[in-house]
Amino acid sequence: ITRVGTRCTMRGGRGRMERARAREYARCLAPTREGVMPAYNFKQQFAEAVESGAKRQTLRRPRKRPTQPGDRLRLYTGQRTKSCRLLREVTCTQVLPIHLDRDSVRVSGMRLSETALTWLALADGFENGEQLLAFFDRLYGLPVGLELIAWEAD
């Protein structure tokens, strides 16, 4: 089995080693992080803040292929519509687990104080913590486990 760029080829494969070679071939075909550029869509209410660089984080459900620090992110509004627009390309700096509940918010297992929740809400484009919790309660229902994805403005 040889890999050249994103192509793999398997030679032989007849006989008792066929299954082992097939497994190795499948691993060779498995997608790599090289060239991964996750795309995130933002509601119109957040588009201006994302485009200006005022909003530098988002709270999202975990993905099948998780975003990792160092990944280049493409931030859009109106994806899958005629009015789709690229807001900016940025580099992911941090991905943290966050758990939202009606009476508490935990980031990486640590409970946030009211002040820290207010700062989190402001950084995510909300006026206060209650507004943030109400938004995610409508969107997913509480309690919910999310990822806090932060990026640096280029």
Side-chain angles (χ1 to χ4, degrees), residues 22-106:
R23 279 194 304 270
E24 189 177 341
Y25 184 68
R27 273 196 302 274
C28 186
L29 289 176
T32 62
R33 295 292 309 170
E34 186 179 313
V36 171
M37 189 177 277
Y40 288 96
N41 188 52
F42 289 87
K43 294 183 182 292
Q44 193 60 44
Q45 72 187 73
F46 302 115
E48 187 179 319
V50 170
E51 192 169 32
S52 71
K55 180 176 167 72
R56 295 186 192 170
Q57 71 179 37
T58 187
L59 302 178
R60 300 295 171 116
R61 285 219 162 162
R63 291 179 163 200
K64 190 175 188 177
R65 289 180 91 183
T67 301
Q68 297 176 354
D71 284 351
R72 294 287 297 161
L73 308 177
R74 297 186 120 205
L75 311 177
Y76 291 92
T77 189
Q79 254 185 334
R80 298 188 178 124
T81 69
K82 289 180 183 179
S83 61
C84 180
R85 184 166 59 94
L86 177 65
L87 301 172
R88 59 190 310 145
E89 287 185 18
V90 295
T91 303
C92 176
T93 56
Q94 197 172 38
V95 179
L96 300 170
I98 184 167
H99 183 80
L100 304 179
D101 204 343
R102 296 188 199 294
D103 60 345
S104 70
V105 174
R106 295 180 182 276

Side-chain angles (χ1 to χ4, degrees), residues 123-142:
D124 208 48
F126 298 95
E127 292 180 18
N128 55 47
E130 290 119 26
Q131 197 179 58
L132 178 137
L133 291 173
F135 177 84
F136 285 101
D137 190 20
R138 280 191 312 276
L139 194 60
Y140 302 121
L142 295 179

